[in-house]
Amino acid sequence: MRVVIAGSSGLIGTSLVASMRAAGHEVLRLVRRKAVAPDERGWDPYAGRIDDGTFDGVDAVINLCGAGIGDKRWDDARKQVLHDSRIVPAEVLSAACVEHGVPTLVSSSGAHFYGDTGSRLADEDAPGGHTYMSRLTQDWEAATSVAQEGGVRVVLMRTAVVISPSGGVFGRLKPVFQFFLGGKLGTGEQFFPWVSLDDIVSAYRFVVEHEDIRGPVNVAGPAPVTNSEFTKAVGTALGRPTPWVVPAFALKALLGGEMAQELLLSGPGLTPKALESHGFHFLHPTLPAALNAAVA
């Protein structure tokens, strides 16, 4: 297949490009500068500009664009960045798929679609939440409406936190735990959805290759855990005790109340119903398996 990937330079994108090529697919990377390599095509989503010929003979577009939700403290300016970096590329790529007859659009979304599910697990049929991140994620998915209405097969990847050997959440937590400072956040009873880097990359390739999959897809490990269970598992994988508790008030003072509450003190419990019903095989079906692979 001939596949265009936007956001190919990030943690997931870099691995996905390699995986798609290893599977025999041709990959073109959208870059926000002048294209210099043979596999690059330039674009400026905010100006609505994409190099001519980018979508010629393309079978699928994968959209990985979106600024990191935990990279900076949320203020009005940061929230605008989070919004625009998701909505604008999704709208531009949706319209391009319709205009150029691209049959498939796989667009990133997030586990925060569901908000805080409490003690409940959510499959793809569960309703959306009402938090800031929930509304942002719902708007993100709605930005693909032009493609959906134009007959494009749209897959919305509601992704969990990625466990990776380098970078991502685990990369940030690893030195904290290695210095014996690891501990649960707040009560620790909140869900902490996770997925290994290998499995999220395989999931993207899987939905591209399986034309009967469309709509929302939860991309999370099939064994949900709470924050307390996650903390213990990380400690075990790194050979460190995890006796500490980081109180909610400290997290809110550090990050701001809204950011701390939505990203660390609450969370959705996800089940990957759509993937499993289509026969997807998780390389790392449990959190210890994912963490051990990352440590190794």
Side-chain angles (χ1 to χ4, degrees), residues 142-158:
T144 66
S145 61
V146 169
Q148 296 180 53
E149 294 165 2
V152 177
R153 178 176 72 98
V154 177
V155 185
L156 302 165
M157 304 291 273
R158 295 174 180 170

Side-chain angles (χ1 to χ4, degrees), residues 183-201:
K184 68 179 182 180
L185 307 180
T187 66
E189 296 176 358
Q190 66 275 26
F191 277 117
F192 192 91
W194 63 274
V195 66
S196 74
L197 178 62
D198 288 334
D199 282 329
I200 194 172
V201 167

Side-chain angles (χ1 to χ4, degrees), residues 70-294:
D71 292 354
K72 296 182 180 180
R73 189 180 175 113
W74 293 353
D75 55 18
D76 289 343
R78 184 58 183 174
K79 284 185 174 181
Q80 193 65 50
V81 170
L82 296 178
H83 177 276
D84 293 349
S85 66
R86 285 162 170 74
I87 308 306
V88 174
E91 290 178 339
V92 170
L93 292 173
S94 295
C97 285
V98 174
E99 179 182 353
H100 298 281
V102 178
T104 296
L105 171 63
V106 179
S107 192
S108 292
S109 179
H112 289 284
F113 176 93
Y114 305 102
D116 181 16
T117 63
S119 59
R120 296 178 293 104
L121 293 174
D123 62 23
E124 291 84 355
D125 295 324
H130 303 285
T131 63
Y132 163 71
M133 279 304 304
S134 298
R135 295 191 300 271
L136 175 60
T137 306
Q138 290 162 38
D139 289 346
W140 195 4
E141 294 189 359
T144 66
S145 61
V146 169
Q148 296 180 53
E149 294 165 2
V152 177
R153 178 176 72 98
V154 177
V155 185
L156 302 165
M157 304 291 273
R158 295 174 180 170
T159 57
V161 172
V162 179
I163 305 299
S164 165
S166 61
V169 169
F170 183 68
R172 297 175 184 175
L173 289 178
K174 188 175 180 180
V176 175
F177 278 74
Q178 287 177 326
F179 281 99
F180 298 90
L181 297 175
K184 68 179 182 180
L185 307 180
T187 66
E189 296 176 358
Q190 66 275 26
F191 277 117
F192 192 91
W194 63 274
V195 66
S196 74
L197 178 62
D198 288 334
D199 282 329
I200 194 172
V201 167
S202 294
Y204 270 94
R205 195 178 73 239
F206 186 84
V207 301
V208 168
E209 296 171 343
H210 288 72
E211 297 180 359
D212 56 335
I213 301 176
R214 64 176 62 237
V217 172
N218 288 348
V219 189
V225 299
T226 63
N227 173 261
S228 179
E229 293 167 334
F230 178 83
T231 299
K232 291 179 181 178
V234 173
T236 299
L238 295 175
R240 296 291 190 272
T242 55
W244 311 112
V245 176
V246 183
F249 74 83
L251 292 170
K252 291 180 179 180
L254 178 65
L255 300 176
E258 185 179 38
M259 184 176 180
Q261 182 64 38
E262 293 197 24
L263 298 188
L264 300 177
L265 298 173
S266 63
L270 266 61
T271 57
K273 177 181 175 182
L275 284 175
E276 291 186 319
S277 67
H278 285 86
F280 180 79
H281 172 72
F282 282 89
L283 182 62
H284 303 119
T286 66
L287 179 60
L291 290 171
N292 289 337

